[in-house]
Amino acid sequence: MSERAAKVTQADEEEQADDQITDSAAPDAAQEIDAESESETTPEPVTSGAEAVVRALENAGVEHAFGVQGGAIMPVYDALYDSDIYHVTMAHEQGAAHAADAYGIVSGKPGICLATSGPGATNLVTGLADADMDSDPLVALTGQVPTEFVGNDAFQETDTTGVTTPVTKNNTFASDSDRVGNDVSEAFALASEGRPGPTLVDLPKDITNGETDREPDAPAVPDTYEVQERADEELVDAAAERLENSNRPVMLLGGGVIKGEASEACREFAIEHEIPVITTMPGLGAFPEDHELSLEMAGMHGTGYANMAITHCDTLIGIGTRFDDRLTGGIETFAPDAELIHVDIDPAEISKNIHADYPLVGDAETVVEQLAAAVDESPEATKWRAQCQQWKSDYSMAYDAPEDEPVQPEFVVEALDEATDDDTIVTTGVGQHQMWACQYWTFTEPRTWVSSHGLGTMGYGLPAAIGARIAADDDQDVVCIDGDGSFLMTMQGLSVAVRENLDITVAVLNNEYIGMVRQWQDAFFEGRHSASDYHWMPEFDKLAEAFGAAGFRIDDYDEVADTIEDALAYDGPSVIDVHIDPEANVFPMVPSGGDNGQFALTEDQL
Amino acid sequence: MKRGLEGPPPEDRPTPAGRRNKQGIRIDPEVEATHEPRRTVISALVEHEPGVLSDVSGLFSRRQFNIESLTVGPTKDEDRARITVVVEEPDPGIDQIKKQLRKLVPVISVRELEPDAMQRELALIKVDADDPAQVHAVADMYDATTVDSSPETATFEITGARKKIEAAVETFGQFGIREISRTGTTALARGTEETAAPVSATESAADEANHDEPYQTADDD
């Protein structure tokens, strides 16, 4: 550990000592407040739009928010000053959106992010698009220039609702101080009701500064927004009959299973009827990967056995998945023999990419319970299960790690997994490291996998770890598996992690390449490494120390276990710069638009 | 050094015989249907608030749905507007359009109109009036109303089904058309049937998401 890091630890200990003093004094103080006045239970009436905004968040039970200050959002921050909502100041608005997104994934409640108008709002856009693609609940509050300047190209003005319409579930331009609190309540409700997603309220400064005594209502969705919870019984019965008569069934669990809190129901259903289970990437953790029925993840970099099973099944029960192209590969060859039972809360997902033979629109947990009640007999699939086990051994995810060669990334992921508990939260950036994390980390619990799936946002890992850390239980570890290219994109977030003393361990799998691009260049562009060579990478351990975090470095196998242990033990943010084999590639691989069953196991099969 | 994983190579693996078409439908002679684009009218009742039209048009453009025309106007209820969209898409695309429109929060209800629904367009046609008698004879033929005339030009207003307007434009062409301005199609269902009444979530999901109905091709008027 560096001298600087040691100093920080010492300072932290002192701070903790202070905290303890405060803590021990706290009960008395709390009693005093209770005794002193009833005003704790009936808060001061709101007097401005900004106070109504903050009151709406408080009413919704919001405890944390992420954001960056700025001119047009200042009234809201002024109102936050008196609130119990803990605001985490981020180093960049993109980080605020990702942190709020991760907070939403881990806690199940919408994450909140704030930004000012213009550049603040546009910096949120990537995070909003990310949350939109992954259906993560998130509420963004953006400042806006005063209404009289809107449309005049005023200083720091952007048409925020215009810019964010395609990447939000819903957005609102607040136009009335009396109504602004309800706009926020509504945005909060919409973010998690039905299919979750990001919502935004644009807050002109005159509206937040404007006087109002209107208390916001409790969060509620508008009347026009209706969600169907239960699937049509006749269709459930038909689907159940289909399943009973199938011989090669597979369950495909998507991110919707986790968001719909349906993991338990799906596990019970799969285990009772002995149906092999595949997850999509956002569905990791919905089913324990150490269970015999688990075939892990399918798709472009899914396991060989998952891709064989999905290709050869005769009945596919897709739950909370939107059949993204990274999962399906070419549509023509996706589960070509399978009748599809598709469970989704969003009717628009039904038959969007893959035609659903049994469309079951409704809440994942409710519909799986309906289905469980309707299925009387388990499908006769003994041979099929044996076949799946055979594929598991034929296409095992084993790798070589000779001591005298550079460290293989798979080994590092497995070592991190072994050194941490089952409920450890993993966040990642986007690239090869993300795929190795999917493949070699054994996920067993929902809400422990936080990654950028649909949008594939490099730089997601560190800010997501910050959001996840704040949402997680204190005894839960948070590990960020990052790539060198990804980490470099948002590493300013380390300053936040240090200031908040967040116990996060970042393992940067450093190959000095934009590795996934290099892999594709090797496979499809004759090895011409155009702009993917990052041989100018900084030393991340030293950079971490410069930020006040603990820095570690791994070059050899014999350093892996001990260094990981030290980094995990460090109470605060730590960064391990892991110098991995620069030539390591991700396999299996289904080339873009290819046949899932024809996955390549080696370079020459591409 | 090894690069990759062990296991039987692709050529040693079984491959299923089945296939799906581009719309993700399993290709099976009995259920397979060809999906040719067809023209249809979709009517949506929406909250009358700023931004709804841009939400709707943005939805169409970013999802690459082919819009033929889009009109919007107030209804008898001042809080609600009606959007009429004419699209040309294969059936699965039309289905998606309806579902995606329904997802927009300010959208109250969405319906695809029957082919016999009343559909009207309006056109203003400005022609050279060198031969006023003949020009007016043509105008009479199409029930066109004269809205402006000058020594050199005459402008007519004509409403009707698309085909009628197209025929009129072609016939007026003989005099030399100076300018044309046309609206998109607006439409209402016939008789007592409501064009876009709010439907319950169950109903809409059951009929739209869950079943393929036999569609008919929309026809003008």
Side-chain angles (χ1 to χ4, degrees), chain A residues 398-400 410 585 587 601-603, chain B residues 1-6:
Chain A
Y399 58 91
D400 282 340
E410 298 93 333
N585 280 342
F587 288 103
L601 293 162
T602 59
E603 210 99 21
Chain B
M1 159 144 213
K2 184 176 75 76
R3 292 267 169 252
L5 297 163
E6 301 288 341

Side-chain angles (χ1 to χ4, degrees), chain A residues 234-265:
Chain A
E234 277 179 39
L235 284 162
V236 171
D237 290 341
E241 196 186 329
R242 167 67 209 174
L243 180 64
E244 286 170 3
N245 293 321
S246 81
N247 301 113
R248 290 173 280 140
V250 155
M251 281 174 84
L252 175 69
L253 308 185
V257 170
I258 292 168
K259 292 178 172 67
E261 303 291 355
S263 305
E264 203 45 54

Side-chain angles (χ1 to χ4, degrees), chain A residues 184-196:
Chain A
V184 174
S185 295
E186 197 175 281
F188 188 90
L190 271 171
S192 49
E193 184 96 343
R195 179 183 185 166

